[in-house]
Amino acid sequence: MKKSVPPEKGFHPIHHRKLLTITLMLATIMQVLDTTIANVALPHMQGSLGATQDQITWVLTSYILSSAVVMTLISSLSNRWGKRRLFLISIVGFTLASIFCGIANSLEAMILYRFLQGIFGASFIPLSQTILLEIYPKEKHGYAFALWGMGIMIGPILGPILGGYLTDTYSWRWVFYINVPVGVLAFGGLLLFLKETPLKHVQHFDVKGFLLLSVFLTTLQLSLDRGEQLDWLASMEIRIELMLMITSLYFFVAHSLTTKHPFFNSSLFKNHHFMMGIILGFSMGAILQSSLTLTPNFLQNLMNYPVFTSGLIMVPRGIGTLMAMVIVGKLVEKMNPSFLLSIGFVTTALSLKLMTGYSPLMGEELLIISGGLLGFGLGFIFVPLSTLTFSTLMPNQHNEASGLYNLTRNIGGSLGISIMESFLTRSSYRNHAYLTEFITPYNKTADIKSLSFPWNPCEDVGLAQWDNEITNQAEYIAYLNSFKVLSILALVCVVLLLLIKKQPILKNILPPNND
């Protein structure tokens, strides 16, 4: 009779492991969805709460700010309280904050509840990633990241679709109420399947380092969110924020290099694969979030697609991501992660290159093909990159490394969105000025003088008509240039892969963890 093999020490039984992975996916999807789903409902919230365009953006900013700052504390809090306890508290807090967001009747209340949402939701991704690294043996990390990563990659794509449907069909308040059943399921799953981790007594907490880092993250996010709106350095607010950002970063680095117990363990920055993962993760965040922001705006503003239809056109992107996750989850255990990353970044660059061929007269085929290819490329990046980043770290470094890795990826996304929006605006102005030079009575090619109403530039109506058309064309070219810039960034990442030290296949890197 065949003897049953006891579970590997340090890992959950296989049936609990899979159920726990699904639970972690639910928590991840809930958090990632909430970063994007509210975007669609903002105009409706603005009218309902009596807010201006400038004020309503704080609904997004407050969430991002609190999440970024608290994410730096996750390692310390989980060591003191335990991962299970911290996760359960976070889910309860996030779910309750979601309910309060749904019933908020003033802008001040909404900003406060979104701030609380960000505080409690900050732990979901770092804790999920750390728990996966602990409950799966090293040779199965690729499979685990592929399964769980669907939440991170699919969430931003489903967010606009679900947000548009709920807002149009019911009310913007359901954008937040939808978190309640998901939160209940995630809480129940963690309560049943997640074991508590041993508590670690941390004697030294770098308060000064945390405060300096918090000032840096806050001023960075504020300047990125409001810079384009306030014309960057032309605004005193932005100049003050940039000054505080640079000063706090300088003192944080100087303090970290001189103190005995820095906020981040210095050994992490000496690990080559982790640092390359940080750099590539930053770049991937910029590409992912920028493309997610540019594409819906392009479809709605220039192609005149309704909100829900533009969301549906992005579904192939999600399908491409799912396909990539399934394929790469099996390949990452057999092939070098660097090789898989090169395929992902090249595919991403190719898809963005296809987007530079968009035209006002095109059908939906190119949108579907390029979107699906982009989703496939980004999906092919996430799993190998996560695997590579943590492959040579010790188990006791996973907790802190996960928080730092995800924080850097989020900063890359915020910075990417801000830079591309600024580039888009300025490129539109330049294109408008260039195209206007051709609209003169002396342009024999266009034969402008013979144009009839309403295109005759000698009349006010004709001038307005030409200006509107030139503005649309200028914005169109600006979007194509933006896609081109992102394509170049993806190719730069391919070059960066050459700097990664040669690495054996994942299952041969280190022996299984028997702690």
Side-chain angles (χ1 to χ4, degrees):
M1 184 175 180
K2 188 176 180 180
K3 293 182 179 180
S4 60
V5 180
E8 186 177 351
K9 187 179 179 182
F11 299 108
H12 289 215
I14 189 64
H15 57 285
H16 285 178
R17 197 187 301 170
K18 290 183 177 179
L19 291 172
L20 178 56
T21 304
I22 294 173
T23 301
L24 296 175
M25 276 185 64
L26 286 175
T28 302
I29 290 174
M30 181 170 63
Q31 194 270 344
V32 176
L33 269 178
D34 231 62
T35 60
T36 56
I37 196 173
N39 294 18
V40 178
L42 277 185
H44 298 265
M45 294 168 62
Q46 181 180 344
S48 178
L49 299 176
T52 64
Q53 180 65 37
D54 180 47
Q55 292 171 336
I56 199 65
T57 57
W58 283 98
V59 173
L60 302 178
T61 304
S62 59
Y63 180 93
I64 298 171
L65 278 178
S66 58
S67 179
V69 172
V70 174
M71 192 175 289
T72 63
L73 289 172
I74 300 306
S75 176
S76 177
L77 292 176
S78 62
N79 287 335
R80 293 171 183 268
W81 298 352
K83 296 183 182 68
R84 183 175 186 264
R85 185 178 293 109
L86 178 59
F87 216 147
L88 291 173
I89 292 173
S90 299
I91 288 180
V92 171
F94 187 88
T95 306
L96 290 176
S98 298
I99 296 175
F100 290 134
C101 284
I103 63 177
N105 289 317
S106 68
L107 178 65
E108 293 78 11
M110 174 61 73
I111 292 174
L112 173 62
Y113 299 142
R114 283 287 285 176
F115 188 84
L116 292 175
Q117 259 194 326
I119 289 176
F120 289 110
S123 65
F124 289 0
I125 292 179
L127 284 181
S128 296
Q129 207 165 39
T130 305
I131 292 169
L132 286 173
L133 290 168
E134 292 177 349
I135 67 175
Y136 283 89
K138 184 169 287 291
E139 62 271 16
K140 290 292 182 181
H141 283 176
Y143 166 80
F145 280 134
L147 188 60
W148 169 77
M150 293 178 186
I152 287 185
M153 302 301 291
I154 299 298
I157 298 171
L158 292 181
I161 302 174
L162 186 59
Y165 174 77
L166 291 174
T167 302
D168 291 340
T169 308
Y170 301 101
S171 163
W172 63 263
R173 300 183 184 276
W174 281 94
V175 166
F176 300 103
Y177 293 149
I178 195 67
N179 289 330
V180 176
V182 182
V184 171
L185 288 174
F187 181 88
L190 289 175
L191 200 63
L192 290 174
F193 307 126
L194 181 60
K195 301 175 184 178
E196 186 56 277
T197 53
L199 302 182
K200 298 179 182 179
H201 180 64
V202 182
Q203 294 182 342
H204 301 281
F205 177 74
D206 187 8
V207 177
K208 183 177 180 180
F210 169 69
L211 293 176
L212 288 171
L213 183 61
S214 298
V215 173
F216 167 71
L217 292 174
T218 301
T219 51
L220 171 66
Q221 193 61 57
L222 285 173
S223 62
L224 292 177
D225 285 347
R226 297 172 58 78
E228 183 59 37
Q229 182 181 353
L230 300 177
D231 197 19
W232 295 104
L233 294 178
S235 166
M236 178 60 71
E237 176 189 330
I238 299 300
R239 290 201 295 269
I240 293 174
E241 288 167 355
L242 289 176
M243 182 182 66
L244 289 173
M245 180 186 72
I246 296 171
T247 303
S248 59
L249 178 61
Y250 170 78
F251 281 109
F252 174 76
V253 173
H255 170 73
S256 299
L257 293 175
T258 55
T259 188
K260 186 176 180 181
H261 300 284
F263 188 74
F264 289 122
N265 191 338
S266 59
S267 63
L268 291 175
F269 301 102
K270 298 176 183 177
N271 187 292
H272 177 76
H273 289 109
F274 178 74
M275 289 306 299
M276 289 303 301
I278 287 288
I279 296 171
L280 292 172
F282 180 92
S283 302
M284 184 191 74
I287 296 173
L288 172 64
Q289 296 301 330
S290 298
S291 60
L292 280 171
T293 302
L294 289 174
T295 306
N297 291 339
F298 173 80
L299 294 175
Q300 294 171 38
N301 298 337
L302 293 181
M303 300 297 289
N304 297 319
Y305 286 144
V307 175
F308 186 67
T309 304
S310 65
L312 288 178
I313 291 178
M314 293 186 69
V315 169
R317 178 170 174 164
I319 296 174
T321 300
L322 285 173
M323 292 175 57
M325 290 285 191
V326 173
I327 296 172
V328 80
K330 298 178 180 179
L331 294 180
V332 76
E333 299 174 7
K334 304 174 183 178
M335 302 179 69
N336 193 310
S338 299
F339 175 72
L340 298 176
L341 281 172
S342 65
I343 296 176
F345 279 115
V346 168
T347 305
T348 300
L350 177 61
S351 64
L352 291 165
K353 177 63 177 176
L354 287 177
M355 292 181 179
T356 62
Y358 286 171
S359 70
L361 302 178
M362 69 177 177
E364 297 174 354
E365 294 81 5
L366 184 57
L367 292 170
I368 294 172
I369 293 173
S370 60
L373 198 59
L374 179 60
F376 187 88
L378 291 171
F380 226 83
I381 292 171
F382 179 81
V383 177
L385 183 56
S386 299
T387 305
L388 176 74
T389 304
F390 297 95
S391 62
T392 54
L393 293 175
M394 300 301 293
N396 60 354
Q397 296 176 307
H398 288 163
N399 203 14
E400 188 173 2
S402 178
L404 184 56
Y405 171 70
N406 286 286
L407 175 64
T408 308
R409 186 165 52 81
N410 289 345
I411 292 175
S414 298
L415 188 60
I417 290 173
S418 179
I419 291 176
M420 293 314 300
E421 286 184 346
S422 179
F423 176 83
L424 184 68
T425 301
R426 296 179 187 278
S427 180
S428 296
Y429 290 154
R430 289 195 300 270
N431 294 333
H432 188 282
Y434 176 74
L435 293 175
T436 303
E437 295 176 1
F438 295 93
I439 310 302
T440 69
Y442 309 103
N443 189 333
K444 296 181 180 180
T445 304
D447 195 16
I448 290 178
K449 292 181 179 180
S450 64
L451 292 175
S452 59
F453 182 86
W455 292 96
N456 191 336
C458 297
E459 300 178 6
D460 292 340
V461 176
L463 287 174
Q465 190 79 1
W466 273 105
D467 183 68
N468 181 63
E469 181 63 25
I470 291 173
T471 299
N472 287 336
Q473 293 295 327
E475 289 183 3
Y476 215 106
I477 297 172
Y479 272 103
L480 302 188
N481 290 338
S482 299
F483 293 135
K484 183 178 181 179
V485 170
L486 292 177
S487 176
I488 294 172
L489 176 58
L491 291 177
V492 170
C493 291
V494 177
V495 177
L496 289 176
L497 290 174
L498 300 175
L499 301 178
I500 297 178
K501 295 178 181 178
K502 189 175 181 180
Q503 178 185 11
I505 296 174
L506 175 63
K507 63 183 179 180
N508 297 325
I509 293 175
L510 288 175
N513 175 24
N514 292 320
D515 293 340

